[in-house]
Amino acid sequence: MSSVEYSSKNDVAVITLINPPVNAISQGIRAGLIEALDRLAADSTVQSAVLIGAGDTFVAGADIKEFGKPLAPPTTLEALAAMEASSKPIVAALAGNALGGGLEIALACHWRVAVPKVKLGLPEITLGIMPGAGGTQRLPRLVGGAKALDMILSGAPVDGSKGLQLGIVDELVEGDPLEGAIAFARRIVAEKRPLRVTSQLQDKVGNTDPAIFAEARSKNEKKWKGLLSPYKIVEAVEAACTLPFAEGAALELKLYRETQASPQRAALTYMFFAEREASKIPDVPRDLKPAPVKSASVIGAGTMGGGIAMSFANVGVPVKLLEASQDALDKGLARIQGNYATSVARGSISQAQMDQRLALITPTTEYAQIGDADIVVEAVFENMEVKQGVFRTLDGVMKPGAILGTNTSTLDIDQIANVTKRPQEVIGMHFFSPANVMKLVENVRGGKTSPEIIGRTMAVSRQIGKVPVLARNCDGFIGNRVLAVYGRECDFMLEEGATPWQIDRALQGFGFPMGLFLMRDMAGLDVGWRIRAYREQFRDKTLRYSPIGDRICELGRFGQKTGAGYYKYIGRDATPDPEIEALIIKTAADLGIKRREVSDEEIVWRVLSVMANEGAKIVGEGIAIRASDVDVTYVFGYGFPRHQGGPMFWAEQQGLDKVYAKVAGYHAEQGLFWEPAPLLVKAAKSGAKSWKDAAVE
Ligand code: 3HC
Ligand code: NAI
């Protein structure tokens, strides 16, 4: 239930917006606010009002669940117009989150006081929309066009001090925000200050350099490719700086509605909820709220271990980093230092932050040093015996109840867990490279991992700023299992007539930042080649197999690092290589495959439908809890374009029956690899519009 409460503290009215947990702007809030303003106007006992959110937060914006549905009146714009029309000053008391429509409400107040820790922001861009309740018009009037543009385009919040510096906040309060705001309101009245109506301010918009808008468009052309809302935001802020408020606001509303109606909005709001849904594990009690970890250990200071240690240090968790030898430890630490130094050089962290973070990382070669940590993450060589050896030792030294995580990308979690006397405390924590940057952690429950350890591992993943997904133990887990299938399909398309650059261009056209072959070249081709060579003995020789990747490696072309792979390179710049095209043509001829034209549309459809089909198998087998977890994995770990929502969402948008028809067609043509997933068959037969519906029917 949401509502608005009206009360008074002697001469000051207190209007409280109530809609737990984040006070999202529901119909009740909108209507209640207008009613409260009517009462304020009629209440002769008060001279001013404070507007505050219930609980310890202001308002996190429009109710995202209502997007795409008709909104019950009144509109937020009507409520804000009523606020600005008030003859009594209204002061916003800001704490917790004042985001999106929440900040827009605050901007329509006459003044704002805030606690230092408040988060003030317009994150609409992350949802594929733009501020639609005056944010693009009022923020520039308080902070100037350039700063407003930066803030709305980044979507990132600022704290109270920054808000004060920018001009969003009029006063910081250290203690109770309500008391602070009441005192501020009394002062305004006592000083007889004229009402400060944001929409009427002109100085800062008038002084905005008109060149910034064209600059923003051209500077971000690559980053915004295929996106709608950034361009609409620039247009709206430009209007704020050039048109009267009413005209700018009318344009904002028109543009806002366009973004609301776009498929990108649907995909991005889907991702907002998918990301949160991924943390909900059916057998982990919802009320399990684990305490944040206070200390961590990481075993192995290589590529992954170093990045994982940085992830802990970055959020202030002390971490012990253990290596087999002093030499390896020194190398690992040097790499960590180098990574931080690059961040300092780029300006993303300060030297002081780098020093603090480094000080949190304690190098060691002694297991006796690490046993008291709340969590240990193993990131040693990808070798079962080596990992089992490490876990035997960890079993002996780690305190009871510690999370024992392994970063294996291919090995069986149970075989690792079973060498310990506490397999219930062992869990896969599959980070992605570079581990200090990539958001995804695919946590993998073994057969015996306890729900409590799972809940704590999901929580610590979030604590270190990651987006966790839970998988069950299987070859490739969720992400690499899908990758293997879609990589194979791309290899087949090379044989059938495509080129690496055509496939990459088609995938990039869909929105992937990098095509598959460019990605392989960047990661290095030799590791996969060695794995394939080892697995050759087990391979079912009756099934189709593309040897193109092996033939490329046989030429010593291991990707970017050797100057040649699927492409040839000058530094990091890739160019198509006629030698590779010839190799592909020859391979196809050797295999008796007649090459033909493969269209870009076929490439995109084949890649996405094979991904969705494999995803449906993964969900059907219980490897992923739900279809949206596959999407979260792909968006946060594999560069799937977030504004396309992930392969499972893509399939829902196309129609699951249509995707099934394609998959069944390829199955008839190509055989086993395209066998339709039972869940996809079920969806198509039942006419389900979503995977969720298919799963319950
Ligand atoms: N609408 C609907 N539900 C919301 C919501 C919103 N704006 N914001 C959060 N929630 C829900 C979450 O889905 C979650 O629900 P669940 O418990 O059922 O999973 C619950 O509130 C708590 O959210 P979090 O788990 O994210 O809690 P945190 O404390 O980690 O984060 C937060 C709080 C920073 C407010 C974060 O939820 C957030 O970023 N919310 C979205 C903010 C946003 O994008 N606002 C702009 C909306 S668009 C808008 O305002 C348009 C306007 O311009 C007209
Ligand atoms: P790496 O070779 O860069 O690092 C491994 C480190 O472990 C080395 O520094 C080595 O000295 C150390 N080590 C080996 N045996 C040890 C022992 N017994 N005790 C302590 N330290 C020991 O390897 P990388 O790439 O960091 O991989 C580590 C793990 O992460 C592997 O399981 C790998 O499959 C996994 N992984 C790797 C990804 C990648 O992109 N590199 C991505 C995701 C997971």
Side-chain angles (χ1 to χ4, degrees):
M1 262 306 284
S2 65
S3 63
V4 176
E5 211 173 75
Y6 183 96
S7 62
S8 59
K9 291 244 178 173
N10 302 320
D11 52 334
V12 183
V14 178
I15 301 172
T16 310
L17 309 177
I18 312 167
N19 185 14
V22 296
N23 299 326
I25 309 170
S26 58
Q27 193 275 338
I29 295 268
R30 297 192 293 271
L33 184 52
I34 290 181
E35 263 170 47
L37 292 167
D38 287 343
R39 270 184 79 174
L40 173 66
D43 187 347
S44 58
T45 66
V46 299
Q47 278 97 52
S48 63
V50 165
L51 184 64
I52 192 164
D56 47 14
T57 185
F58 192 66
V59 171
D63 187 340
I64 302 169
K65 289 193 201 80
E66 290 184 349
F67 286 5
K69 299 177 191 156
L71 274 196
T75 64
T76 306
L77 287 173
E78 284 163 336
L80 300 198
M83 279 167 60
E84 280 202 339
S86 166
S87 58
K88 294 175 186 167
I90 305 173
V91 178
L94 304 176
N97 295 298
L99 300 175
L103 184 62
E104 290 174 301
I105 291 179
L107 296 177
C109 290
H110 300 101
W111 285 277
R112 286 148 294 279
V113 303
V115 299
K117 275 189 156 172
V118 69
K119 279 197 207 159
L120 310 162
L122 293 169
E124 284 86 345
I125 191 168
T126 61
L127 298 166
I129 57 165
M130 55 182 277
T136 64
Q137 305 302 302
R138 287 194 182 87
L139 188 63
R141 286 177 158 78
L142 287 176
V143 307
K147 289 187 175 128
L149 192 62
D150 281 352
M151 200 167 149
I152 304 174
L153 287 174
S154 86
V158 298
D159 66 11
S161 315
K162 183 78 185 167
L164 184 68
Q165 194 193 329
L166 286 170
I168 302 171
V169 172
D170 299 293
E171 189 171 278
L172 280 185
V173 284
E174 287 299 335
D176 178 14
L178 178 61
E179 292 307 321
I182 289 174
F184 186 90
R186 286 196 176 121
R187 222 180 316 132
I188 295 293
V189 171
E191 289 170 6
K192 297 198 172 57
R193 275 205 230 171
L195 290 179
R196 190 164 181 258
V197 177
T198 313
S199 63
Q200 290 171 9
L201 304 175
Q202 275 309 325
D203 289 3
K204 291 201 172 167
V205 281
N207 291 335
T208 296
D209 175 2
I212 62 167
F213 303 105
E215 260 167 39
R217 288 186 190 98
S218 65
K219 196 174 76 188
N220 292 298
E221 205 178 318
K222 207 168 149 205
K223 189 166 145 200
W224 294 349
K225 198 170 144 245
L227 297 180
L228 184 70
S229 63
Y231 290 100
K232 304 282 174 191
I233 288 168
V234 179
E235 199 180 335
V237 177
E238 189 168 18
C241 298
T242 50
L243 299 175
F245 179 81
E247 283 174 47
L251 180 70
E252 179 197 80
L253 183 59
K254 174 180 161 287
L255 300 175
Y256 172 73
R257 288 186 173 144
E258 286 169 20
T259 60
Q260 271 285 0
S262 75
Q264 291 177 13
R265 188 274 306 156
L268 287 162
T269 51
Y270 163 83
M271 281 313 301
F272 175 84
F273 291 112
E275 184 184 332
R276 284 159 180 78
E277 190 79 3
S279 281
K280 294 174 189 155
I281 315 300
D283 59 339
V284 174
R286 279 296 292 274
D287 55 3
L288 179 83
K289 297 261 182 284
V293 301
K294 294 206 178 66
S295 56
S297 295
V298 174
I299 315 295
T303 313
M304 295 305 288
I308 297 167
M310 288 172 78
S311 301
F312 282 104
N314 292 350
V315 296
V317 176
V319 52
K320 302 226 170 90
L321 183 57
L322 184 143
E323 257 293 346
S325 70
Q326 190 59 45
D327 184 43
L329 198 51
D330 293 343
K331 284 198 186 111
L333 274 177
R335 195 165 28 221
I336 292 174
Q337 259 161 348
N339 286 341
Y340 277 136
T342 307
S343 300
V344 172
R346 277 203 205 115
S348 48
I349 60 169
S350 65
Q351 182 64 46
Q353 279 171 314
M354 166 169 166
D355 296 343
Q356 270 163 14
R357 292 175 190 193
L358 278 175
L360 286 169
I361 302 176
T362 309
T364 180
T365 53
E366 304 284 329
Y367 274 93
Q369 301 279 318
I370 68 163
D372 59 352
D374 296 331
I375 175 171
V376 57
V377 184
E378 166 279 310
V380 305
F381 298 139
E382 186 73 345
N383 173 295
M384 184 55 86
E385 283 77 43
V386 177
K387 291 206 191 268
Q388 285 178 330
V390 168
F391 272 80
R392 277 192 200 97
T393 313
L394 290 175
D395 195 19
V397 299
M398 296 310 296
K399 72 177 180 194
I403 299 169
L404 309 183
T406 167
N407 183 44
T408 180
S409 42
T410 55
L411 302 175
D412 179 351
I413 308 293
D414 292 328
Q415 279 189 44
I416 297 172
N418 287 339
V419 301
T420 72
K421 287 187 234 31
R422 38 174 146 168
Q424 72 283 1
E425 286 164 14
V426 177
I427 187 163
M429 290 187 79
H430 185 208
F431 289 81
F432 289 70
S433 183
N436 53 314
V437 176
M438 292 297 289
K439 284 281 189 187
L440 182 69
V441 186
E442 211 178 8
N443 293 323
V444 187
R445 71 190 291 171
K448 296 180 188 152
T449 314
S450 74
E452 192 212 328
I453 287 289
I454 294 169
R456 283 170 50 205
T457 307
M458 299 300 278
V460 66
S461 308
R462 286 192 301 274
Q463 186 186 343
I464 60 174
K466 303 295 177 192
V467 177
V469 161
L470 187 68
R472 274 188 199 274
N473 198 10
C474 76
D475 189 17
F477 314 134
I478 301 173
N480 283 344
R481 190 169 145 180
V482 175
L483 180 65
V485 169
Y486 107 73
R488 182 175 63 202
E489 210 49 37
C490 290
D491 292 336
F492 291 164
M493 284 192 279
L494 293 183
E495 293 171 354
E496 289 165 32
T499 56
W501 25 102
Q502 186 202 359
I503 292 181
D504 284 353
R505 212 180 41 232
L507 293 175
Q508 281 165 309
F510 177 76
F512 278 95
M514 194 183 260
L516 176 82
F517 296 104
L518 283 165
M519 192 175 84
R520 282 188 185 166
D521 273 356
M522 195 180 77
L525 306 177
D526 46 332
V527 177
W529 183 40
R530 251 180 274 125
I531 294 173
R532 287 196 300 278
Y534 169 73
R535 291 188 173 177
E536 180 62 17
Q537 52 187 324
F538 313 112
R539 185 166 71 78
D540 180 347
K541 308 285 188 309
T542 62
L543 296 177
R544 183 174 173 189
Y545 176 81
S546 174
I548 291 173
D550 300 336
R551 291 191 178 177
I552 290 175
C553 286
E554 282 157 17
L555 299 172
R557 300 174 67 125
F558 296 155
Q560 240 183 62
K561 63 186 172 190
T562 57
Y566 287 91
Y567 294 78
K568 58 183 173 189
Y569 290 86
I570 299 172
R572 288 184 183 179
D573 290 336
T575 24
D577 189 345
E579 208 182 304
I580 290 298
E581 196 162 352
L583 181 148
I584 293 168
I585 292 169
K586 164 130 191 2
T587 308
D590 292 348
L591 294 168
I593 297 170
K594 194 166 165 348
R595 282 167 60 84
R596 62 179 169 86
E597 183 146 333
V598 178
S599 70
D600 287 5
E601 196 198 346
E602 177 179 345
I603 292 168
V604 170
W605 257 91
R606 243 167 104 167
V607 164
L608 288 159
S609 50
V610 89
M611 286 175 99
N613 191 42
E614 191 65 18
K617 289 181 188 167
I618 286 171
V619 176
E621 292 165 25
I623 301 296
I625 296 169
R626 48 183 88 78
S628 59
D629 290 358
V630 177
D631 289 336
V632 172
T633 304
Y634 258 76
V635 167
F636 290 99
Y638 294 81
F640 194 99
R642 190 181 159 96
H643 67 278
Q644 298 275 16
M648 307 308 279
F649 179 78
W650 173 87
E652 284 181 348
Q653 298 310 103
Q654 307 312 309
L656 298 180
D657 49 349
K658 188 171 164 199
V659 174
Y660 167 73
K662 277 270 181 199
V663 169
Y666 285 127
H667 186 217
E669 221 175 77
Q670 310 242 3
L672 185 72
F673 292 143
W674 279 93
E675 188 167 32
L679 189 61
L680 180 60
V681 177
K682 199 171 158 201
K685 298 238 158 97
S686 65
K689 297 269 172 287
S690 69
W691 298 108
K692 217 184 257 173
D693 291 348
V696 294
E697 270 159 22

